[in-house]
């Protein structure tokens, strides 16, 4: 006699670990950016500063403490996200194959406002490219940040970044890309609110 319970079709779109790491990442990224702007203001590399009200930490010392605290959250959570994605094979399933032809086609459809997101379980080619780009960008942010923070202890990393001063420029532009990604990402989520429900509830 077969006593096994009948298989219940499960509609989980985002597993719990993915949702937890996504929201921890979003929180730590926002803290890093706002405190980073306060740190930048103490010694700007371009002829402008960020409005004080947009920054976190109050003063340079406070902002550094926020930045270093959130740095551990970002790096450890990012490592967990990468490890789980690679070990479960999810990264391969979700983000690949990624063909330039499909990116061009989906980009065109997106610009015409006709890009569909019918199945929340599958990313279109533009999403795949955007998510892979922001993951690479976050890795670059962490590495350039390490080159600035420990420039004497990590000479190889410092030199790869083109020296201490250049590492600050790399860090700044990687942050700028991240801010652009967040603006577009949140706008896209607002256009398809069902995706937010799935990222909260998993289903
Ligand atoms: C602040 C920095 C953020 C970063 C770096 C970020 C990054 C990402 C990445 C890489 C993915 C794909 C994850 C995967 O499948 O492995 C993703 C998905 C998603 N994110 Fe974010 N995210 C951020 C903030 C937000 C915010 C504030 C919201 C909500 C307003 C949001 C809502 C979503 C949703 C709904 C998805 C699933 C998209 C879909 O199914 O089409 N994210 N995000």
């Amino acid at each position: 006699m077969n006593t096994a319970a009948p298989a219940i079709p499960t509609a989980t779109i985002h597993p719990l670990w993915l949702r937890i790491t996504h929201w921890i990442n979003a929180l730590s990224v926002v803290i890093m950016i706002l405190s980073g702007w306060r740190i930048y203001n103490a010694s700007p590399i371009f002829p402008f500063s960020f409005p004080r009200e947009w920054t976190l930490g109050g003063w340079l010392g406070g902002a550094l403490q926020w930045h270093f605290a959130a740095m551990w959250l970002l790096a450890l959570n990012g490592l967990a996200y990468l490890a789980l994605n690679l070990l479960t094979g999810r990264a391969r399933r979700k983000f690949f194959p990624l063909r330039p032809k499909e990116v061009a086609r989906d980009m065109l459809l997106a610009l015409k406002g006709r890009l569909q997101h019918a199945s929340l379980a599958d990313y279109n080619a533009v999403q795949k490219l955007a998510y892979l780009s922001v993951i690479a960008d976050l890795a670059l942010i962490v590495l350039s940040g390490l080159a600035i923070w420990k420039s004497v202890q990590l000479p190889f990393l410092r030199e790869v970044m083109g020296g201490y001063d250049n590492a600050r420029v790399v860090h700044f532009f990687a942050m700028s890309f991240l801010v652009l990604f967040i603006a577009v990402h949140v706008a896209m989520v607002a256009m398809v609110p069902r995706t937010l429900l799935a990222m909260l509830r998993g289903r």
Side-chain angles (χ1 to χ4, degrees):
M1 189 176 68
N2 183 4
T3 54
I8 300 169
T10 148
T12 301
I13 295 168
H14 300 303
L16 183 63
W17 63 262
L18 187 268
R19 283 175 280 143
I20 292 175
T21 50
H22 176 269
W23 291 117
I24 291 180
N25 179 61
L27 175 71
S28 55
V29 156
V30 170
I31 295 175
M32 294 296 290
I33 292 173
L34 299 183
S35 57
W37 287 354
R38 184 67 195 82
I39 297 166
Y40 167 93
N41 281 355
S43 170
I45 48 178
F46 298 111
F48 66 86
S49 302
F50 293 95
R52 206 187 154 78
E53 313 78 63
W54 297 2
T55 66
L56 181 68
W59 59 298
L60 176 60
L64 281 168
Q65 288 194 342
W66 276 105
H67 212 63
F68 288 140
M71 169 190 83
W72 291 109
L73 206 57
L74 179 78
L76 295 177
N77 181 67
L79 286 176
Y81 168 83
L82 285 179
L84 284 163
N85 256 303
L86 293 175
L87 292 176
T88 58
R90 182 180 178 277
R92 193 171 34 80
R93 286 195 308 275
K94 284 278 178 183
F95 301 120
F96 297 98
L98 178 58
R99 301 188 181 91
K101 240 180 165 173
E102 290 171 9
V103 174
R105 181 200 62 200
D106 286 355
M107 190 73 86
L108 216 65
L109 285 172
L111 291 175
K112 288 182 190 163
R114 296 215 315 259
L115 186 59
Q116 298 291 322
H117 193 12
S119 161
L120 295 186
D122 300 310
Y123 294 139
N124 60 54
V126 173
Q127 279 181 300
K128 289 179 187 176
L129 181 65
Y131 295 154
L132 286 173
S133 305
V134 81
I135 291 165
D137 185 59
L138 282 168
L140 181 63
I141 286 190
V142 171
L143 291 176
S144 54
L146 278 176
I148 298 166
W149 181 38
K150 296 286 176 196
S151 64
V152 175
Q153 293 90 334
L154 301 170
F156 176 72
L157 199 55
R158 185 191 65 221
E159 290 316 308
V160 168
M161 295 290 157
Y164 176 83
D165 288 328
N166 211 52
R168 285 193 70 195
V169 177
V170 172
H171 203 58
F172 185 92
F173 281 107
M175 173 279 295
S176 308
F177 177 82
L178 181 60
V179 172
L180 185 71
F181 167 85
I182 295 170
V184 176
H185 185 53
V186 172
M188 292 296 158
V189 172
M191 283 163 71
V192 193
R194 288 177 305 132
T195 60
L196 181 57
L197 272 185
M199 193 42 103
L200 289 168
R201 294 166 33 193
R203 289 172 282 118

